[in-house]
Structure formats: structure tokens, C-alpha cells
Amino acid sequence: MESMDTSLRIGTYEIASRLIVGTGKYPSLEIMRAAHDASGTSMITVAIRRINLDDPTGKTMLDYIDRTKYTILPNTAGCYTAKDAVLTAQLARELLGTDLIKLEVIGDPHTLYPDTVETIAAAKELVADGFTVLPYIVDDPTACKRLEDVGCAAVMPLGAPIGSGLGICNPYSISIIKERASVPVIVDAGVGTASDAAIAMELGVDAVLMNTGIAAASDPVMMAQAMRLAVESGRLAFLAGRMEKRLYANASSPMQGLIATAKRA
């Protein structure tokens, strides 16, 4: 177990915060910006297909993100084929001047579960094209291993369906994925509250990505701060190493000395 923490490295990028946040579903762009500040994040993901370039005010979501402070992680949300995802990634590279891409290829519009076959196909093509690929994928150790093998810089298994807030539904799969991976493992989707984030980090994953858990809270800015503290405390707990679980009680204070004292009395 590590005794000291280090920053998160994804490909050639060094990320100071282990909390990555999104940009959708906020009551306003001003609240979004305030929540980003409160979260302490250093990486923000943006859905390229949802940026309105025709806003009459002349502003887009990108105008509310300080790119000198945050690393932008464009994503391919809304894509249902590998072809569409690759084209969206190429558009993101032209628009933002970055090789980073969060790859999403959805297979089911109701559950928003990713299409594993199409995701792997898109990842292979994007890696060959020089992208730093972070794929959203099911919590399947085999799928994650295949994505790592094609050259992805990280793997991003879901904790639960996107926007569900159900938390970490299968911690055992996440643990296996982390145990076998030689690239960062980032839990993506399903985190609903601070305890979910802490649980994910206590499993040993390298980071957590969330959007709705913050944006849909009654007070997004306060929740962003809570998520920041949860990720930090969960990481520290993992590094510290939790106590062994036992079936029976084990007294915190030794009993032998107490018994001897009672006999002498």
C-alpha cells in the first residue's frame, strides 16, 4: 500500500484532482461554474454534440469554463455507432485543440448502457489516430482489459446507469477491474451522493467522474463541495488501509490488565 498519494496521470496528462465533473443538467451556467469551483476539480468533461454554437448571445458553455484552470475532456455523448463517435472525436479535436476524448457509444437508449463491440471498435480507431482515449464501458473486467489492450489511456466502468444515482451497484466487479488494470480506472456514472463517491474511492479506483449527482442536487454548489471531500476522504482511507473485518467483537482496550487489577482488589 502506498504511504503517500501522487497526482493522477492519464497518458501524458497529469491531473491534480481525482474528481472529474460534467456540464449538463445545471439550473444555469452560472451555477455550473460555481459548482465547478466548489468541486476542486481540474478536469471537466463537455458533450461536443450538445454545444450550441448558434446561441444568439454569442456565448457557449465553453465561455463559462476557464481553460487556464481546467483541462477540458470532450466526450462523444449521444453517439450510437463507432463511426459517429470517431467523427465527433475528430470534431472535438478541431474545436478544442486536444487529443483527449471520453469515448461513449451507447447501445440502449433506455438504460444508456454502452455498446461494448462498437466502443472497442471506436477506441481502436481513435488510438491509431493519436487520441488519448478514456472509454465509458460496462463494469466488465474482460471489456476493460480489451480496451486497455487496444491502447486506451484509462478505462471508465460504470458504477450504475447514467443519471440513476444508484451508487456502486457491483463493487466486486470494480475491484477486479482495478486489480487487473495497468491504466487508471475511473468510475463513471451512477454516483448520487457523497457516500457513493467515498465507496468508489475506497475500492482503490483512481478517480470518479460525475455529473447528475452534483447538477441535480437541490444545492449543486454545496453538493460539489461534499463530493470533493468524499473523494479526498475515500482516497485517504484506501491509502491508509482499512482494518480487517471480523465476525465477532474484538475489544478496543485490552482486557487482561483489567482482570488482573480486579483480582488484586
Side-chain angles (χ1 to χ4, degrees), residues 157-234:
L158 57 81
I162 292 173
S164 67
L166 291 173
I168 311 304
C169 290
N170 196 340
Y172 306 104
S173 286
I174 299 294
S175 294
I176 293 170
I177 290 167
K178 175 57 185 172
E179 179 184 306
R180 296 181 177 181
S182 58
V183 296
V185 175
I186 303 169
V187 166
D188 180 10
V191 172
T193 191
S195 57
D196 299 333
I199 288 170
M201 295 304 297
E202 287 173 10
L203 292 172
V205 302
D206 299 278
V208 176
L209 188 151
M210 65 184 74
N211 182 75
T212 309
I214 294 174
S218 298
D219 188 330
V221 177
M222 187 181 294
M223 183 61 80
Q225 184 180 7
M227 294 296 192
R228 174 182 185 171
L229 296 172
V231 167
E232 291 174 355
S233 64

Side-chain angles (χ1 to χ4, degrees), residues 7 15 60 66 87 96 106 123 165 181 199 210 229:
S7 59
I15 311 301
T60 71
D66 183 353
L87 289 173
L96 299 173
I106 299 301
I199 288 170
M210 65 184 74
L229 296 172

Side-chain angles (χ1 to χ4, degrees), residues 24-195:
K25 301 182 180 180
Y26 284 92
S28 71
L29 291 173
E30 290 78 9
I31 291 176
M32 178 195 77
R33 181 164 55 189
H36 289 168
D37 288 342
S39 73
T41 190
S42 55
M43 177 176 277
I44 296 172
T45 186
V46 176
I48 292 300
R49 303 185 86 185
R50 292 171 185 156
I51 296 176
N52 181 10
L53 299 176
D54 299 319
D55 192 302
T57 66
K59 287 189 173 184
T60 71
M61 180 187 300
L62 296 174
D63 291 299
Y64 291 83
I65 301 173
D66 183 353
R67 295 188 64 187
T68 66
K69 183 178 180 181
Y70 303 112
T71 298
I72 300 295
L73 173 62
N75 67 62
T76 64
C79 293
Y80 284 81
T81 67
K83 181 180 178 180
D84 283 349
V86 169
L87 289 173
T88 301
Q90 291 169 340
L91 173 63
R93 182 165 60 184
E94 291 296 319
L95 177 63
L96 299 173
T98 180
D99 66 351
L100 280 166
I101 194 71
K102 179 193 170 192
L103 175 61
E104 293 184 33
V105 187
I106 299 301
D108 180 358
H110 300 292
T111 64
L112 299 181
Y113 265 54
D115 185 317
T116 300
V117 173
E118 292 289 292
T119 299
I120 294 172
K124 187 174 182 179
E125 186 171 347
L126 290 170
V127 168
D129 195 20
F131 283 89
T132 299
V133 182
L134 291 75
Y136 164 67
I137 194 65
V138 291
D139 55 344
D140 175 2
T142 301
C144 287
K145 183 59 180 172
R146 287 181 179 172
L147 286 164
E148 181 181 339
D149 288 345
V150 303
C152 291
V155 290
M156 307 180 76
L158 57 81
I162 292 173
S164 67
L166 291 173
I168 311 304
C169 290
N170 196 340
Y172 306 104
S173 286
I174 299 294
S175 294
I176 293 170
I177 290 167
K178 175 57 185 172
E179 179 184 306
R180 296 181 177 181
S182 58
V183 296
V185 175
I186 303 169
V187 166
D188 180 10
V191 172
T193 191
S195 57

Side-chain angles (χ1 to χ4, degrees), residues 18 27 74 240:
R18 294 178 182 272

